[in-house]
Amino acid sequence: MTTARTVLEPAARRLAEAGVASPRHDAEALLAHLLGVPRSRLAWASVDLSPDQERRYAELVARRADREPLQHLTGTAPFRHLELLVGPGVFVPRPETEVVVDWAIGALAGLADAPVVVDLCTGSGAIAGSIAGEVPRTRVYAVELDPDAHAWAERNLAGTDVTLVRGDAATAFPDLDGTVDLVVANPPYIPLDAYESVEREVRDHDPALALWSGPDGLDAIRMVERTAARLLRPGGVAVVEHADVQGESAPAVFAGTGRWDRVRDHLDLAGRHRFVTAWRVAR
């Protein structure tokens, strides 16, 4: 009988040789997923694998070594208090985005009852679902253009009070114009010429619509700025994620229009530029 311990070490070595960033973690996560046991509670030395489990584990490790995202193999991605369903066709939410939600929730804490929030480019529904779950009094609206990503968002937001629509973020929710308290977005922001610098898990598996955003990576952020200006009430706030190299250029999109006050950039937990906030001035 093959034990978990005997398959873990060679699996981790294979993933390391393939360039996977966290080989031991991923080897353990795949085995825990296969056995249906939380990784943190799995007693590796005492678990025996059947021949079928050993074969299936080898297949999972081979797919991960080929740089298929870990989350596609397990079918889930943790995000704050959520366990999101993910797979081909939807952008896998990253931990960096959690600080964006932190800031948004903090801003909502100072508002009156039933503030209105719009999540543009919702993807998996991670941001919308987190805000709706952690600030129950909030009315949350979310929009996604891509049909496959929208289908994943439908699954993840089922049973919540989020109003989800499929459509273009640029023209979404015209009935809310001038009434929204907070607009949040994690839009695409990778320049078209940066293809070779993007890790394979992202460029080969995340949907193109969620990644690429014109020659300078700012096309979608410009769209979000215009849409947020339309939706927000005077004094409402926009919270927009961007690439770590856009700590000056993303805030400049807002500062250069005359529609915003208190434009600020913010760092993530690793000290990298991560998102911009801006407050809507009176029309």
Side-chain angles (χ1 to χ4, degrees):
M1 185 72 72
T2 302
T3 67
R5 184 185 297 276
T6 59
V7 298
L8 267 177
E9 293 303 329
R13 285 196 301 271
R14 179 172 184 182
L15 297 183
E17 292 166 359
V20 172
S22 51
R24 178 74 187 197
H25 169 278
D26 289 14
E28 292 179 355
L30 289 173
L31 188 55
H33 166 69
L34 176 67
L35 298 176
V37 180
R39 174 174 163 262
S40 61
R41 296 177 56 192
L42 184 59
W44 302 113
S46 64
V47 176
D48 294 327
L49 274 67
S50 69
D52 179 63
Q53 288 173 326
E54 186 177 0
R55 175 189 59 79
R56 289 161 56 201
Y57 183 60
E59 291 174 351
L60 288 171
V61 171
R63 290 169 65 185
R64 184 68 187 103
D66 199 37
R67 306 300 289 275
E68 190 170 341
L70 173 67
Q71 297 87 348
H72 284 197
L73 298 174
T74 64
T76 62
F79 189 85
R80 295 179 66 84
H81 304 295
L82 303 176
E83 193 74 16
L84 297 164
L85 301 174
V86 296
V90 69
F91 182 81
V92 175
R94 269 64 173 179
E96 294 85 354
T97 304
E98 296 187 17
V99 300
V100 179
V101 178
D102 267 336
W103 196 97
I105 288 175
L108 290 170
L111 299 180
D113 286 343
V116 179
V117 174
V118 171
D119 177 19
L120 303 175
C121 313
T122 195
S124 65
I127 294 176
S130 293
I131 292 175
E134 296 180 49
V135 193
R137 60 191 174 83
T138 303
R139 290 182 290 152
V140 182
Y141 299 80
V143 58
E144 175 55 49
L145 178 61
D146 185 88
D148 292 331
H150 179 267
W152 285 105
E154 278 190 316
R155 298 183 187 103
N156 287 317
L157 297 175
T160 73
D161 292 329
V162 176
T163 300
L164 172 68
V165 302
R166 183 185 164 204
D168 189 341
T171 56
F173 306 118
D175 53 318
L176 297 178
D177 283 359
T179 67
V180 175
D181 296 289
L182 186 145
V183 169
V184 60
N186 179 16
Y189 47 67
I190 304 176
L192 293 172
D193 63 1
Y195 180 85
E196 292 299 331
S197 67
V198 177
E199 61 185 11
R200 287 175 54 193
E201 286 89 342
V202 175
R203 74 187 191 202
D204 294 345
H205 295 279
D206 279 327
L209 192 62
L211 301 178
W212 315 108
S213 188
D216 60 0
L218 295 171
D219 281 2
I221 291 178
R222 294 186 183 98
M223 176 276 294
V224 168
E225 184 276 326
R226 293 190 297 269
T227 303
R230 169 176 62 82
L231 289 169
L232 287 169
R233 60 169 176 79
V237 64
V239 190
V240 184
E241 185 169 339
H242 58 68
D244 54 4
V245 296
Q246 295 169 336
E248 294 183 1
S249 58
V253 169
F254 287 80
T257 66
R259 293 191 281 255
W260 304 93
D261 188 20
R262 290 179 284 166
V263 179
R264 300 286 185 272
D265 203 60
H266 303 262
L267 306 180
D268 61 22
L269 295 179
R272 296 169 297 195
H273 292 278
R274 183 55 55 195
F275 65 101
V276 57
T277 59
W279 300 84
R280 186 72 168 97
V281 299
R283 290 169 175 78

